[in-house]
Amino acid sequence: MTVETGTLIRIVYFSRNRVALSEQEMAWEIDRILAVAQTNNARDGITGALAYNDGVFGQVLEGPAGAIEDTFDRIQMDDRHADVTLLEIGPITERTFIDWSMGFVGQNDLSAGPGGSVSTFDLSHLTGPEIYGVLHSLMLRNEVRARAA
């Protein structure tokens, strides 16, 4: 990446899960990933959201360029990820996921996304703006539900 270190940036990427786990074990692994990401991201000034469906992760990260670069480097070196594909990177003037050190959108949430069905919803077939749009709209919907409860 060639973005000035102090600049606020957003990246969008997808990757494939390379760890063979049962559905329940994967749910536990995602909970562990989220707990670590939320701690690290809060420390590093990073916000964003993660989606997981059918063996594919889609993620939006926002924050200082240096922190985003370091985080993305760790993701690329993580043995759980294969085919890490950067779809979008660029400077932003403000954050979209300001209240989320790492929000999560799971299979149940994605069933309402493009394609209409979890079994046909493949994050790896979406563009950066499409992944961003899905995560943003679903995180907002989850926020509204949480406030109404």
Side-chain angles (χ1 to χ4, degrees):
M1 291 185 236
T2 58
V3 179
E4 189 174 322
T5 302
T7 303
L8 191 63
I9 66 169
R10 175 181 299 129
I11 67 168
V12 181
Y13 78 91
F14 79 85
S15 67
R16 296 185 189 285
N17 175 33
R18 83 165 27 152
V19 181
L21 298 173
S22 71
E23 190 173 316
Q24 184 62 47
E25 290 169 326
M26 192 63 199
W28 292 329
E29 183 65 13
I30 289 172
D31 286 345
R32 194 177 72 69
I33 289 168
L34 289 170
V36 170
Q38 288 164 348
T39 298
N40 291 344
N41 291 352
R43 177 196 67 214
D44 297 336
I46 295 173
T47 56
L50 172 70
Y52 180 77
N53 187 51
D54 201 24
V56 179
F57 293 97
Q59 188 167 32
V60 175
L61 295 171
E62 307 169 320
I68 295 293
E69 289 173 356
D70 291 345
T71 299
F72 192 61
D73 286 345
R74 281 193 306 275
I75 290 165
Q76 292 178 88
M77 306 221 4
D78 189 322
D79 290 338
R80 295 172 293 195
H81 294 273
D83 302 328
V84 179
T85 304
L86 182 62
L87 299 171
E88 185 178 304
I89 180 172
I92 56 174
T93 56
E94 62 184 3
R95 296 171 190 259
T96 303
F97 298 92
I98 195 160
D99 295 327
W100 298 94
S101 63
M102 186 46 54
F104 178 68
V105 175
Q107 291 182 349
N108 291 337
D109 293 316
L110 288 171
S111 65
S117 168
V118 170
S119 62
T120 61
F121 192 84
D122 186 343
L123 291 162
S124 68
H125 290 137
L126 300 180
T127 65
E130 288 170 334
I131 290 176
Y132 169 83
V134 167
L135 285 171
H136 182 245
S137 66
L138 291 174
M139 292 304 296
L140 286 176
R141 187 177 76 190
N142 288 345
E143 234 176 65
V144 168
R145 274 195 219 143
R147 286 187 200 138

